[in-house]
Amino acid sequence: MTITELVVGSKEQSVILSSGFVADIKFDVFYKRWYYDLYENGELRFAGIALNVNTVPLFNMSPVSLGLIDIVGDDEEYEPYNELGTRLMLVEVAE
């Protein structure tokens, strides 16, 4: 397993991952959380995968997955939309 930190900003964007995968990262204003659609070689593989903090939702289901880590790790409240790429570190997990 390989874990790689991805350099992202706090905006909706596409991120090129390893092995021909691309993640379209979006923000859900209703649930106030990030989510992504995962494409392999241009074909949609998974849609609407929630990026809840400190989880890797597709681990063991896909050879490539994204995880979101709160690097501060305290109980202080924050705004998820503004913290992607700073307090909320996006990582690629590849098997």
Side-chain angles (χ1 to χ4, degrees):
M1 173 175 47
T2 304
I3 300 172
T4 307
E5 180 180 352
L6 300 172
V7 178
V8 293
S10 216
K11 62 182 181 180
E12 295 188 352
Q13 61 206 287
S14 292
V15 178
I16 298 172
L17 307 173
S18 60
S19 304
F21 284 88
V22 174
D24 281 340
I25 302 168
K26 301 172 185 168
F27 188 76
D28 183 328
V29 295
F30 184 75
Y31 290 107
K32 291 192 175 190
R33 67 179 174 197
W34 291 96
Y35 70 97
Y36 70 104
D37 297 333
L38 186 64
Y39 295 85
E40 182 180 16
N41 298 317
E43 192 172 318
L44 181 64
R45 293 295 180 198
F46 296 94
I49 306 302
L51 282 168
N52 295 319
V53 175
N54 299 329
T55 66
V56 182
L58 291 179
F59 188 69
N60 289 330
M61 293 176 56
S62 172
V64 174
S65 183
L66 294 181
L68 196 60
I69 300 169
D70 180 357
I71 59 173
V72 174
D74 63 14
D75 291 331
E76 183 179 324
E77 195 168 319
Y78 60 92
E79 177 56 48
Y81 182 80
N82 297 325
E83 300 291 342
L84 183 64
T86 55
R87 178 178 176 151
L88 300 176
M89 179 173 56
L90 188 66
V91 295
E92 175 186 351
V93 179
E95 296 179 11

